[in-house]
Amino acid sequence: MPLVTTRSKDEPRLSRPVRVAEAIKDWVVEKGLKAGDRLPSEPEMIEQFGMAKGTIREAMRILEAQGLVRTRTGPGGGSFVHEVSKQRARALLGNYFYFKDLTIADIYELRCTLEPQLAASLAGKLSDEFLDKLEENIASYPEPARTADEEREQHIASLRFHALLASQSCNKLLGFLIDFMTNMLADLTVYRKLYNPPNAELWQKGRDYQVHLVQALRDGDAKAAHQIMGDHMATAQTLMSLQEAEMQKRFISE
Protein backbone atom coordinates (compact mmCIF):
# COMPACT_ATOMS: atom_id res chain seq x y z
CA MET A 1 0.00 0.00 0.00
CA PRO A 2 1.49 3.42 -0.94
CA LEU A 3 2.25 5.82 1.85
CA VAL A 4 0.05 8.88 2.27
CA THR A 5 2.11 12.03 1.77
CA THR A 6 1.22 14.78 4.22
CA ARG A 7 2.04 18.36 3.35
CA SER A 8 1.52 21.41 5.54
CA LYS A 9 -0.24 24.47 4.15
CA ASP A 10 3.04 26.39 4.26
CA GLU A 11 4.79 24.01 1.88
CA PRO A 12 4.82 25.01 -1.80
CA ARG A 13 2.46 23.20 -4.13
CA LEU A 14 4.17 20.37 -6.00
CA SER A 15 4.79 20.92 -9.70
CA ARG A 16 2.83 18.87 -12.22
CA PRO A 17 5.78 16.60 -13.17
CA VAL A 18 6.43 15.88 -9.48
CA ARG A 19 2.77 15.01 -8.94
CA VAL A 20 2.85 12.72 -11.98
CA ALA A 21 6.04 11.06 -10.68
CA GLU A 22 4.25 10.37 -7.41
CA ALA A 23 1.25 8.98 -9.31
CA ILE A 24 3.53 6.66 -11.28
CA LYS A 25 5.07 5.36 -8.05
CA ASP A 26 1.59 4.70 -6.65
CA TRP A 27 0.65 2.89 -9.86
CA VAL A 28 3.77 0.71 -9.68
CA VAL A 29 2.86 -0.32 -6.12
CA GLU A 30 -0.79 -0.97 -7.03
CA LYS A 31 0.27 -3.20 -9.94
CA GLY A 32 2.74 -5.07 -7.78
CA LEU A 33 5.66 -4.38 -10.10
CA LYS A 34 9.12 -5.43 -8.90
CA ALA A 35 12.67 -4.34 -9.67
CA GLY A 36 13.46 -5.18 -13.29
CA ASP A 37 9.86 -5.07 -14.50
CA ARG A 38 9.25 -3.02 -17.63
CA LEU A 39 7.21 0.16 -17.39
CA PRO A 40 4.66 1.15 -20.06
CA SER A 41 5.93 2.97 -23.13
CA GLU A 42 5.76 6.74 -23.33
CA PRO A 43 2.54 6.75 -25.44
CA GLU A 44 0.96 4.35 -22.94
CA MET A 45 2.04 6.61 -20.06
CA ILE A 46 0.51 9.62 -21.80
CA GLU A 47 -2.77 7.77 -22.13
CA GLN A 48 -2.62 6.25 -18.63
CA PHE A 49 -2.03 9.53 -16.82
CA GLY A 50 -3.63 11.96 -19.24
CA MET A 51 -0.59 14.22 -19.42
CA ALA A 52 1.43 15.80 -22.21
CA LYS A 53 4.61 14.19 -23.51
CA GLY A 54 6.82 16.84 -21.88
CA THR A 55 5.24 16.28 -18.44
CA ILE A 56 5.63 12.50 -18.68
CA ARG A 57 9.26 12.82 -19.74
CA GLU A 58 10.05 15.20 -16.88
CA ALA A 59 8.28 12.87 -14.41
CA MET A 60 10.39 9.95 -15.64
CA ARG A 61 13.56 12.02 -15.31
CA ILE A 62 12.58 12.74 -11.70
CA LEU A 63 12.09 9.04 -10.99
CA GLU A 64 15.38 8.21 -12.68
CA ALA A 65 17.18 10.82 -10.56
CA GLN A 66 15.62 9.24 -7.47
CA GLY A 67 16.98 5.88 -8.54
CA LEU A 68 13.53 4.33 -8.93
CA VAL A 69 13.62 3.99 -12.71
CA ARG A 70 16.40 2.91 -15.02
CA THR A 71 16.27 3.52 -18.77
CA ARG A 72 18.03 1.33 -21.33
CA THR A 73 18.44 2.15 -25.00
CA GLY A 74 18.75 -0.13 -27.99
CA PRO A 75 17.03 -3.48 -28.67
CA GLY A 76 15.04 -4.59 -25.66
CA GLY A 77 15.40 -1.14 -24.16
CA GLY A 78 12.85 0.97 -22.35
CA SER A 79 12.15 2.10 -18.81
CA PHE A 80 12.32 -0.38 -15.95
CA VAL A 81 11.55 -0.37 -12.24
CA HIS A 82 14.81 -0.07 -10.33
CA GLU A 83 15.48 -0.83 -6.68
CA VAL A 84 17.34 1.94 -4.86
CA SER A 85 20.56 0.60 -3.35
CA LYS A 86 21.33 1.08 0.33
CA GLN A 87 24.33 3.20 -0.62
CA ARG A 88 22.23 5.55 -2.75
CA ALA A 89 19.48 5.82 -0.14
CA ARG A 90 22.11 6.59 2.48
CA ALA A 91 23.64 9.28 0.26
CA LEU A 92 20.29 10.91 -0.50
CA LEU A 93 19.31 10.99 3.17
CA GLY A 94 22.76 12.26 4.06
CA ASN A 95 22.27 15.16 1.64
CA TYR A 96 19.18 16.20 3.60
CA PHE A 97 21.20 16.43 6.83
CA TYR A 98 24.21 18.07 5.18
CA PHE A 99 23.32 21.59 6.36
CA LYS A 100 21.51 20.59 9.57
CA ASP A 101 24.60 20.97 11.79
CA LEU A 102 24.01 17.72 13.65
CA THR A 103 25.85 17.14 16.92
CA ILE A 104 27.24 14.04 18.58
CA ALA A 105 24.35 14.24 21.05
CA ASP A 106 21.80 14.19 18.20
CA ILE A 107 23.24 10.98 16.78
CA TYR A 108 23.75 9.23 20.10
CA GLU A 109 20.22 10.02 21.25
CA LEU A 110 19.08 7.57 18.60
CA ARG A 111 21.99 5.15 18.93
CA CYS A 112 21.39 4.78 22.68
CA THR A 113 17.79 3.82 21.94
CA LEU A 114 18.14 1.61 18.88
CA GLU A 115 21.43 -0.26 19.20
CA PRO A 116 20.71 -2.01 22.52
CA GLN A 117 17.44 -3.21 20.97
CA LEU A 118 19.32 -4.50 17.93
CA ALA A 119 21.90 -6.30 20.08
CA ALA A 120 19.22 -8.03 22.17
CA SER A 121 17.33 -9.13 19.04
CA LEU A 122 20.46 -10.80 17.61
CA ALA A 123 21.50 -12.74 20.71
CA GLY A 124 21.75 -16.45 19.90
CA LYS A 125 20.77 -15.88 16.26
CA LEU A 126 24.13 -15.19 14.62
CA SER A 127 26.22 -17.89 13.00
CA ASP A 128 29.64 -18.79 14.37
CA GLU A 129 31.08 -17.61 11.09
CA PHE A 130 29.56 -14.16 11.51
CA LEU A 131 30.58 -13.92 15.18
CA ASP A 132 34.13 -14.79 14.09
CA LYS A 133 33.88 -11.95 11.58
CA LEU A 134 32.97 -9.54 14.38
CA GLU A 135 35.98 -10.73 16.37
CA GLU A 136 38.22 -10.27 13.34
CA ASN A 137 36.98 -6.70 13.10
CA ILE A 138 37.85 -6.08 16.76
CA ALA A 139 41.28 -7.61 16.17
CA SER A 140 41.99 -4.91 13.58
CA TYR A 141 42.50 -2.38 16.40
CA PRO A 142 44.49 -4.41 18.98
CA GLU A 143 46.24 -1.49 20.66
CA PRO A 144 45.72 2.26 21.16
CA ALA A 145 46.47 4.54 18.24
CA ARG A 146 49.79 6.34 18.32
CA THR A 147 48.93 8.98 15.75
CA ALA A 148 45.88 10.93 14.64
CA ASP A 149 45.81 8.99 11.35
CA GLU A 150 45.76 5.67 13.22
CA GLU A 151 43.02 7.00 15.51
CA ARG A 152 40.91 7.94 12.49
CA GLU A 153 41.28 4.49 10.93
CA GLN A 154 40.55 2.73 14.23
CA HIS A 155 37.46 4.83 14.81
CA ILE A 156 36.09 3.98 11.37
CA ALA A 157 36.88 0.28 11.91
CA SER A 158 35.14 0.34 15.28
CA LEU A 159 32.02 1.83 13.69
CA ARG A 160 32.19 -0.92 11.05
CA PHE A 161 31.51 -3.38 13.90
CA HIS A 162 28.12 -1.71 14.41
CA ALA A 163 27.36 -1.59 10.69
CA LEU A 164 28.03 -5.33 10.52
CA LEU A 165 25.54 -5.95 13.31
CA ALA A 166 22.98 -3.73 11.59
CA SER A 167 23.30 -5.82 8.42
CA GLN A 168 21.96 -8.84 10.34
CA SER A 169 18.76 -7.23 11.60
CA CYS A 170 15.49 -8.88 10.57
CA ASN A 171 13.94 -5.41 10.83
CA LYS A 172 15.13 -3.74 7.63
CA LEU A 173 14.19 -0.25 8.83
CA LEU A 174 16.08 -0.70 12.10
CA GLY A 175 19.10 -2.06 10.27
CA PHE A 176 19.11 0.79 7.76
CA LEU A 177 18.79 3.49 10.43
CA ILE A 178 21.68 2.11 12.47
CA ASP A 179 23.84 1.65 9.37
CA PHE A 180 23.01 5.22 8.32
CA MET A 181 23.94 6.61 11.73
CA THR A 182 27.26 4.76 11.88
CA ASN A 183 28.20 6.13 8.46
CA MET A 184 27.07 9.62 9.41
CA LEU A 185 29.11 9.44 12.61
CA ALA A 186 32.16 8.28 10.66
CA ASP A 187 31.79 11.20 8.25
CA LEU A 188 31.24 13.63 11.13
CA THR A 189 34.31 12.33 12.93
CA VAL A 190 36.52 12.79 9.88
CA TYR A 191 35.03 16.14 8.83
CA ARG A 192 35.35 17.68 12.29
CA LYS A 193 38.60 15.86 13.12
CA LEU A 194 37.15 14.37 16.31
CA TYR A 195 39.83 11.68 16.12
CA ASN A 196 42.51 14.20 17.08
CA PRO A 197 44.08 13.90 19.59
CA PRO A 198 44.00 10.09 19.97
CA ASN A 199 41.83 8.95 22.88
CA ALA A 200 43.13 5.78 24.56
CA GLU A 201 40.17 5.63 26.94
CA LEU A 202 37.71 5.64 24.06
CA TRP A 203 39.66 2.83 22.38
CA GLN A 204 39.99 0.71 25.56
CA LYS A 205 36.41 0.97 26.75
CA GLY A 206 34.91 0.64 23.30
CA ARG A 207 36.96 -2.43 22.50
CA ASP A 208 36.18 -4.07 25.85
CA TYR A 209 32.45 -3.52 25.36
CA GLN A 210 32.61 -5.06 21.90
CA VAL A 211 34.51 -8.12 23.14
CA HIS A 212 31.95 -8.70 25.91
CA LEU A 213 29.08 -8.08 23.51
CA VAL A 214 30.26 -10.75 21.09
CA GLN A 215 30.40 -13.23 23.96
CA ALA A 216 26.85 -12.34 25.05
CA LEU A 217 25.66 -12.76 21.46
CA ARG A 218 27.43 -16.12 21.25
CA ASP A 219 25.85 -17.21 24.54
CA GLY A 220 22.38 -16.14 23.40
CA ASP A 221 22.04 -13.80 26.40
CA ALA A 222 19.69 -11.07 25.15
CA LYS A 223 19.53 -9.27 28.49
CA ALA A 224 23.31 -9.05 28.78
CA ALA A 225 23.63 -7.99 25.13
CA HIS A 226 21.12 -5.17 25.68
CA GLN A 227 22.92 -3.99 28.83
CA ILE A 228 26.41 -4.12 27.32
CA MET A 229 25.39 -2.23 24.20
CA GLY A 230 23.51 0.34 26.28
CA ASP A 231 26.59 0.94 28.45
CA HIS A 232 28.77 1.02 25.33
CA MET A 233 26.64 3.72 23.72
CA ALA A 234 26.38 5.83 26.89
CA THR A 235 30.14 5.72 27.43
CA ALA A 236 30.88 6.47 23.78
CA GLN A 237 28.51 9.44 23.85
CA THR A 238 30.24 10.89 26.90
CA LEU A 239 33.75 10.48 25.49
CA MET A 240 32.84 11.61 21.98
CA SER A 241 31.07 14.70 23.37
CA LEU A 242 34.27 15.57 25.21
CA GLN A 243 36.18 15.18 21.94
CA GLU A 244 33.64 17.44 20.23
CA ALA A 245 33.95 20.07 22.98
CA GLU A 246 37.75 19.94 22.74
CA MET A 247 37.57 20.41 18.98
CA GLN A 248 35.30 23.43 19.39
CA LYS A 249 37.73 24.99 21.89
CA ARG A 250 40.60 24.49 19.44
CA PHE A 251 38.55 26.06 16.68
CA ILE A 252 37.77 29.14 18.80
CA SER A 253 41.37 29.53 19.90
CA GLU A 254 42.51 29.46 16.30
mmCIF file of all heavy atoms in Angstrom, residues 194-226:
data_model
loop_
_atom_site.group_PDB
_atom_site.id
_atom_site.type_symbol
_atom_site.label_atom_id
_atom_site.label_comp_id
_atom_site.label_asym_id
_atom_site.label_seq_id
_atom_site.Cartn_x
_atom_site.Cartn_y
_atom_site.Cartn_z
ATOM 1 N N LEU A 194 37.389 14.769 14.922
ATOM 2 C CA LEU A 194 37.149 14.372 16.307
ATOM 3 C C LEU A 194 38.078 13.239 16.738
ATOM 4 O O LEU A 194 38.045 12.832 17.895
ATOM 5 C CB LEU A 194 35.684 13.932 16.483
ATOM 6 C CG LEU A 194 34.622 14.985 16.148
ATOM 7 C CD1 LEU A 194 33.229 14.432 16.406
ATOM 8 C CD2 LEU A 194 34.846 16.264 16.934
ATOM 9 N N TYR A 195 38.872 12.743 15.817
ATOM 10 C CA TYR A 195 39.832 11.677 16.122
ATOM 11 C C TYR A 195 41.152 12.240 16.641
ATOM 12 O O TYR A 195 42.063 11.485 16.990
ATOM 13 C CB TYR A 195 40.105 10.846 14.866
ATOM 14 C CG TYR A 195 40.551 11.677 13.688
ATOM 15 C CD1 TYR A 195 41.891 12.042 13.524
ATOM 16 C CD2 TYR A 195 39.634 12.115 12.739
ATOM 17 C CE1 TYR A 195 42.295 12.820 12.456
ATOM 18 C CE2 TYR A 195 40.033 12.893 11.669
ATOM 19 C CZ TYR A 195 41.361 13.244 11.527
ATOM 20 O OH TYR A 195 41.758 14.020 10.472
ATOM 21 N N ASN A 196 41.252 13.563 16.697
ATOM 22 C CA ASN A 196 42.513 14.195 17.080
ATOM 23 C C ASN A 196 42.293 15.111 18.285
ATOM 24 O O ASN A 196 41.453 16.015 18.224
ATOM 25 C CB ASN A 196 43.050 15.007 15.895
ATOM 26 C CG ASN A 196 44.459 15.506 16.117
ATOM 27 O OD1 ASN A 196 45.196 14.975 16.929
ATOM 28 N ND2 ASN A 196 44.823 16.557 15.399
ATOM 29 N N PRO A 197 42.979 14.859 19.411
ATOM 30 C CA PRO A 197 44.078 13.900 19.591
ATOM 31 C C PRO A 197 43.544 12.485 19.835
ATOM 32 O O PRO A 197 42.371 12.314 20.196
ATOM 33 C CB PRO A 197 44.797 14.443 20.833
ATOM 34 C CG PRO A 197 43.707 15.087 21.627
ATOM 35 C CD PRO A 197 42.774 15.694 20.615
ATOM 36 N N PRO A 198 44.399 11.465 19.676
ATOM 37 C CA PRO A 198 43.995 10.086 19.969
ATOM 38 C C PRO A 198 43.484 9.950 21.399
ATOM 39 O O PRO A 198 43.990 10.593 22.317
ATOM 40 C CB PRO A 198 45.293 9.295 19.760
ATOM 41 C CG PRO A 198 46.068 10.107 18.781
ATOM 42 C CD PRO A 198 45.772 11.531 19.128
ATOM 43 N N ASN A 199 42.462 9.114 21.576
ATOM 44 C CA ASN A 199 41.826 8.948 22.883
ATOM 45 C C ASN A 199 41.924 7.482 23.289
ATOM 46 O O ASN A 199 41.128 6.647 22.850
ATOM 47 C CB ASN A 199 40.358 9.393 22.796
ATOM 48 C CG ASN A 199 39.687 9.464 24.152
ATOM 49 O OD1 ASN A 199 39.975 8.673 25.043
ATOM 50 N ND2 ASN A 199 38.784 10.414 24.307
ATOM 51 N N ALA A 200 42.906 7.170 24.147
ATOM 52 C CA ALA A 200 43.132 5.783 24.557
ATOM 53 C C ALA A 200 41.964 5.235 25.356
ATOM 54 O O ALA A 200 41.643 4.043 25.277
ATOM 55 C CB ALA A 200 44.424 5.685 25.371
ATOM 56 N N GLU A 201 41.307 6.091 26.135
ATOM 57 C CA GLU A 201 40.169 5.633 26.943
ATOM 58 C C GLU A 201 39.010 5.210 26.046
ATOM 59 O O GLU A 201 38.358 4.192 26.296
ATOM 60 C CB GLU A 201 39.715 6.742 27.891
ATOM 61 C CG GLU A 201 38.583 6.310 28.821
ATOM 62 C CD GLU A 201 38.118 7.404 29.760
ATOM 63 O OE1 GLU A 201 38.555 8.565 29.580
ATOM 64 O OE2 GLU A 201 37.301 7.112 30.656
ATOM 65 N N LEU A 202 38.765 5.980 25.007
ATOM 66 C CA LEU A 202 37.706 5.640 24.060
ATOM 67 C C LEU A 202 38.004 4.303 23.389
ATOM 68 O O LEU A 202 37.111 3.461 23.232
ATOM 69 C CB LEU A 202 37.571 6.743 23.010
ATOM 70 C CG LEU A 202 36.482 6.566 21.952
ATOM 71 C CD1 LEU A 202 35.105 6.541 22.590
ATOM 72 C CD2 LEU A 202 36.565 7.702 20.918
ATOM 73 N N TRP A 203 39.262 4.098 23.007
ATOM 74 C CA TRP A 203 39.661 2.829 22.384
ATOM 75 C C TRP A 203 39.480 1.672 23.366
ATOM 76 O O TRP A 203 38.868 0.653 23.023
ATOM 77 C CB TRP A 203 41.129 2.900 21.948
ATOM 78 C CG TRP A 203 41.692 1.546 21.606
ATOM 79 C CD1 TRP A 203 41.577 0.876 20.425
ATOM 80 C CD2 TRP A 203 42.422 0.680 22.485
ATOM 81 N NE1 TRP A 203 42.185 -0.346 20.498
ATOM 82 C CE2 TRP A 203 42.719 -0.494 21.754
ATOM 83 C CE3 TRP A 203 42.853 0.783 23.809
ATOM 84 C CZ2 TRP A 203 43.423 -1.571 22.312
ATOM 85 C CZ3 TRP A 203 43.562 -0.272 24.366
ATOM 86 C CH2 TRP A 203 43.849 -1.437 23.622
ATOM 87 N N GLN A 204 40.002 1.808 24.581
ATOM 88 C CA GLN A 204 39.987 0.715 25.558
ATOM 89 C C GLN A 204 38.572 0.311 25.935
ATOM 90 O O GLN A 204 38.203 -0.866 25.885
ATOM 91 C CB GLN A 204 40.757 1.122 26.819
ATOM 92 C CG GLN A 204 40.857 0.008 27.871
ATOM 93 C CD GLN A 204 41.731 -1.130 27.423
ATOM 94 O OE1 GLN A 204 42.940 -0.958 27.247
ATOM 95 N NE2 GLN A 204 41.148 -2.306 27.214
ATOM 96 N N LYS A 205 37.763 1.293 26.314
ATOM 97 C CA LYS A 205 36.406 0.970 26.752
ATOM 98 C C LYS A 205 35.556 0.463 25.605
ATOM 99 O O LYS A 205 34.790 -0.498 25.767
ATOM 100 C CB LYS A 205 35.770 2.200 27.408
ATOM 101 C CG LYS A 205 36.397 2.558 28.746
ATOM 102 C CD LYS A 205 35.649 3.680 29.448
ATOM 103 C CE LYS A 205 36.238 3.910 30.840
ATOM 104 N NZ LYS A 205 35.533 5.004 31.557
ATOM 105 N N GLY A 206 35.694 1.087 24.439
ATOM 106 C CA GLY A 206 34.908 0.641 23.296
ATOM 107 C C GLY A 206 35.253 -0.779 22.898
ATOM 108 O O GLY A 206 34.362 -1.597 22.641
ATOM 109 N N ARG A 207 36.526 -1.090 22.878
ATOM 110 C CA ARG A 207 36.963 -2.431 22.500
ATOM 111 C C ARG A 207 36.500 -3.464 23.522
ATOM 112 O O ARG A 207 36.036 -4.552 23.154
ATOM 113 C CB ARG A 207 38.488 -2.465 22.367
ATOM 114 C CG ARG A 207 39.031 -3.735 21.733
ATOM 115 C CD ARG A 207 40.541 -3.638 21.543
ATOM 116 N NE ARG A 207 41.055 -4.767 20.772
ATOM 117 C CZ ARG A 207 41.298 -5.970 21.281
ATOM 118 N NH1 ARG A 207 41.082 -6.188 22.574
ATOM 119 N NH2 ARG A 207 41.755 -6.952 20.508
ATOM 120 N N ASP A 208 36.619 -3.138 24.801
ATOM 121 C CA ASP A 208 36.183 -4.066 25.852
ATOM 122 C C ASP A 208 34.692 -4.353 25.735
ATOM 123 O O ASP A 208 34.253 -5.512 25.870
ATOM 124 C CB ASP A 208 36.500 -3.497 27.234
ATOM 125 C CG ASP A 208 37.991 -3.534 27.558
ATOM 126 O OD1 ASP A 208 38.736 -4.213 26.831
ATOM 127 O OD2 ASP A 208 38.398 -2.887 28.540
ATOM 128 N N TYR A 209 33.898 -3.320 25.511
ATOM 129 C CA TYR A 209 32.450 -3.518 25.360
ATOM 130 C C TYR A 209 32.159 -4.437 24.172
ATOM 131 O O TYR A 209 31.288 -5.318 24.259
ATOM 132 C CB TYR A 209 31.741 -2.178 25.155
ATOM 133 C CG TYR A 209 31.496 -1.399 26.421
ATOM 134 C CD1 TYR A 209 31.922 -0.074 26.541
ATOM 135 C CD2 TYR A 209 30.817 -1.959 27.508
ATOM 136 C CE1 TYR A 209 31.688 0.663 27.696
ATOM 137 C CE2 TYR A 209 30.577 -1.227 28.670
ATOM 138 C CZ TYR A 209 31.018 0.081 28.749
ATOM 139 O OH TYR A 209 30.783 0.802 29.903
ATOM 140 N N GLN A 210 32.862 -4.244 23.086
ATOM 141 C CA GLN A 210 32.613 -5.057 21.900
ATOM 142 C C GLN A 210 32.995 -6.518 22.129
ATOM 143 O O GLN A 210 32.278 -7.427 21.696
ATOM 144 C CB GLN A 210 33.367 -4.470 20.703
ATOM 145 C CG GLN A 210 32.778 -3.145 20.237
ATOM 146 C CD GLN A 210 33.499 -2.565 19.032
ATOM 147 O OE1 GLN A 210 34.510 -3.099 18.578
ATOM 148 N NE2 GLN A 210 32.989 -1.470 18.497
ATOM 149 N N VAL A 211 34.104 -6.738 22.817
ATOM 150 C CA VAL A 211 34.512 -8.118 23.138
ATOM 151 C C VAL A 211 33.451 -8.807 23.991
ATOM 152 O O VAL A 211 33.050 -9.958 23.725
ATOM 153 C CB VAL A 211 35.871 -8.122 23.863
ATOM 154 C CG1 VAL A 211 36.167 -9.500 24.444
ATOM 155 C CG2 VAL A 211 36.988 -7.697 22.907
ATOM 156 N N HIS A 212 32.970 -8.112 25.022
ATOM 157 C CA HIS A 212 31.954 -8.700 25.911
ATOM 158 C C HIS A 212 30.622 -8.880 25.182
ATOM 159 O O HIS A 212 29.890 -9.840 25.446
ATOM 160 C CB HIS A 212 31.761 -7.817 27.143
ATOM 161 C CG HIS A 212 32.963 -7.763 28.035
ATOM 162 N ND1 HIS A 212 33.380 -6.627 28.695
ATOM 163 C CD2 HIS A 212 33.864 -8.724 28.375
ATOM 164 C CE1 HIS A 212 34.463 -6.886 29.403
ATOM 165 N NE2 HIS A 212 34.774 -8.162 29.221
ATOM 166 N N LEU A 213 30.329 -7.970 24.262
ATOM 167 C CA LEU A 213 29.083 -8.076 23.514
ATOM 168 C C LEU A 213 29.083 -9.317 22.625
ATOM 169 O O LEU A 213 28.079 -10.044 22.559
ATOM 170 C CB LEU A 213 28.865 -6.819 22.665
ATOM 171 C CG LEU A 213 27.617 -6.826 21.773
ATOM 172 C CD1 LEU A 213 26.355 -6.954 22.615
ATOM 173 C CD2 LEU A 213 27.563 -5.556 20.929
ATOM 174 N N VAL A 214 30.181 -9.566 21.944
ATOM 175 C CA VAL A 214 30.260 -10.747 21.090
ATOM 176 C C VAL A 214 30.039 -12.016 21.910
ATOM 177 O O VAL A 214 29.346 -12.939 21.471
ATOM 178 C CB VAL A 214 31.610 -10.811 20.350
ATOM 179 C CG1 VAL A 214 31.766 -12.149 19.628
ATOM 180 C CG2 VAL A 214 31.720 -9.672 19.347
ATOM 181 N N GLN A 215 30.585 -12.050 23.110
ATOM 182 C CA GLN A 215 30.396 -13.226 23.960
ATOM 183 C C GLN A 215 28.933 -13.388 24.359
ATOM 184 O O GLN A 215 28.396 -14.503 24.357
ATOM 185 C CB GLN A 215 31.273 -13.127 25.217
ATOM 186 C CG GLN A 215 31.293 -14.400 26.048
ATOM 187 C CD GLN A 215 31.796 -15.599 25.261
ATOM 188 O OE1 GLN A 215 32.890 -15.559 24.693
ATOM 189 N NE2 GLN A 215 30.998 -16.663 25.190
ATOM 190 N N ALA A 216 28.270 -12.275 24.691
ATOM 191 C CA ALA A 216 26.848 -12.341 25.049
ATOM 192 C C ALA A 216 26.015 -12.797 23.850
ATOM 193 O O ALA A 216 25.067 -13.577 23.996
ATOM 194 C CB ALA A 216 26.378 -10.972 25.538
ATOM 195 N N LEU A 217 26.364 -12.331 22.676
ATOM 196 C CA LEU A 217 25.657 -12.756 21.460
ATOM 197 C C LEU A 217 25.880 -14.240 21.202
ATOM 198 O O LEU A 217 24.954 -14.973 20.831
ATOM 199 C CB LEU A 217 26.144 -11.939 20.255
ATOM 200 C CG LEU A 217 25.817 -10.446 20.258
ATOM 201 C CD1 LEU A 217 26.538 -9.732 19.119
ATOM 202 C CD2 LEU A 217 24.314 -10.216 20.158
ATOM 203 N N ARG A 218 27.109 -14.702 21.445
ATOM 204 C CA ARG A 218 27.434 -16.116 21.246
ATOM 205 C C ARG A 218 26.690 -16.988 22.261
ATOM 206 O O ARG A 218 26.243 -18.100 21.936
ATOM 207 C CB ARG A 218 28.945 -16.319 21.374
ATOM 208 C CG ARG A 218 29.458 -17.596 20.736
ATOM 209 C CD ARG A 218 30.965 -17.723 20.919
ATOM 210 N NE ARG A 218 31.739 -16.798 20.113
ATOM 211 C CZ ARG A 218 32.072 -17.015 18.858
ATOM 212 N NH1 ARG A 218 31.665 -18.118 18.237
ATOM 213 N NH2 ARG A 218 32.789 -16.133 18.184
ATOM 214 N N ASP A 219 26.542 -16.468 23.483
ATOM 215 C CA ASP A 219 25.853 -17.208 24.543
ATOM 216 C C ASP A 219 24.334 -17.156 24.417
ATOM 217 O O ASP A 219 23.626 -17.857 25.139
ATOM 218 C CB ASP A 219 26.247 -16.652 25.920
ATOM 219 C CG ASP A 219 27.715 -16.893 26.261
ATOM 220 O OD1 ASP A 219 28.319 -17.798 25.643
ATOM 221 O OD2 ASP A 219 28.241 -16.183 27.135
ATOM 222 N N GLY A 220 23.837 -16.287 23.542
ATOM 223 C CA GLY A 220 22.382 -16.136 23.398
ATOM 224 C C GLY A 220 21.750 -15.398 24.552
ATOM 225 O O GLY A 220 20.564 -15.573 24.838
ATOM 226 N N ASP A 221 22.518 -14.537 25.230
ATOM 227 C CA ASP A 221 22.037 -13.804 26.404
ATOM 228 C C ASP A 221 21.548 -12.425 25.964
ATOM 229 O O ASP A 221 22.327 -11.465 25.910
ATOM 230 C CB ASP A 221 23.169 -13.682 27.428
ATOM 231 C CG ASP A 221 22.685 -13.182 28.777
ATOM 232 O OD1 ASP A 221 21.619 -12.538 28.828
ATOM 233 O OD2 ASP A 221 23.381 -13.427 29.792
ATOM 234 N N ALA A 222 20.266 -12.318 25.654
ATOM 235 C CA ALA A 222 19.692 -11.074 25.149
ATOM 236 C C ALA A 222 19.756 -9.958 26.183
ATOM 237 O O ALA A 222 20.030 -8.797 25.840
ATOM 238 C CB ALA A 222 18.248 -11.302 24.705
ATOM 239 N N LYS A 223 19.512 -10.291 27.437
ATOM 240 C CA LYS A 223 19.528 -9.270 28.491
ATOM 241 C C LYS A 223 20.921 -8.671 28.639
ATOM 242 O O LYS A 223 21.083 -7.447 28.734
ATOM 243 C CB LYS A 223 19.072 -9.883 29.813
ATOM 244 C CG LYS A 223 18.969 -8.877 30.952
ATOM 245 C CD LYS A 223 18.431 -9.517 32.213
ATOM 246 C CE LYS A 223 18.325 -8.512 33.348
ATOM 247 N NZ LYS A 223 17.812 -9.151 34.598
ATOM 248 N N ALA A 224 21.930 -9.531 28.645
ATOM 249 C CA ALA A 224 23.306 -9.047 28.775
ATOM 250 C C ALA A 224 23.701 -8.241 27.543
ATOM 251 O O ALA A 224 24.363 -7.195 27.658
ATOM 252 C CB ALA A 224 24.267 -10.213 28.964
ATOM 253 N N ALA A 225 23.299 -8.693 26.360
ATOM 254 C CA ALA A 225 23.631 -7.985 25.126
ATOM 255 C C ALA A 225 23.032 -6.579 25.140
ATOM 256 O O ALA A 225 23.683 -5.600 24.741
ATOM 257 C CB ALA A 225 23.131 -8.761 23.917
ATOM 258 N N HIS A 226 21.791 -6.479 25.603
ATOM 259 C CA HIS A 226 21.119 -5.175 25.685
ATOM 260 C C HIS A 226 21.858 -4.259 26.655
ATOM 261 O O HIS A 226 22.104 -3.079 26.361
ATOM 262 C CB HIS A 226 19.669 -5.377 26.138
ATOM 263 C CG HIS A 226 18.821 -4.141 26.063
ATOM 264 N ND1 HIS A 226 18.906 -3.123 26.990
ATOM 265 C CD2 HIS A 226 17.882 -3.752 25.154
ATOM 266 C CE1 HIS A 226 18.047 -2.165 26.679
ATOM 267 N NE2 HIS A 226 17.423 -2.520 25.557
#
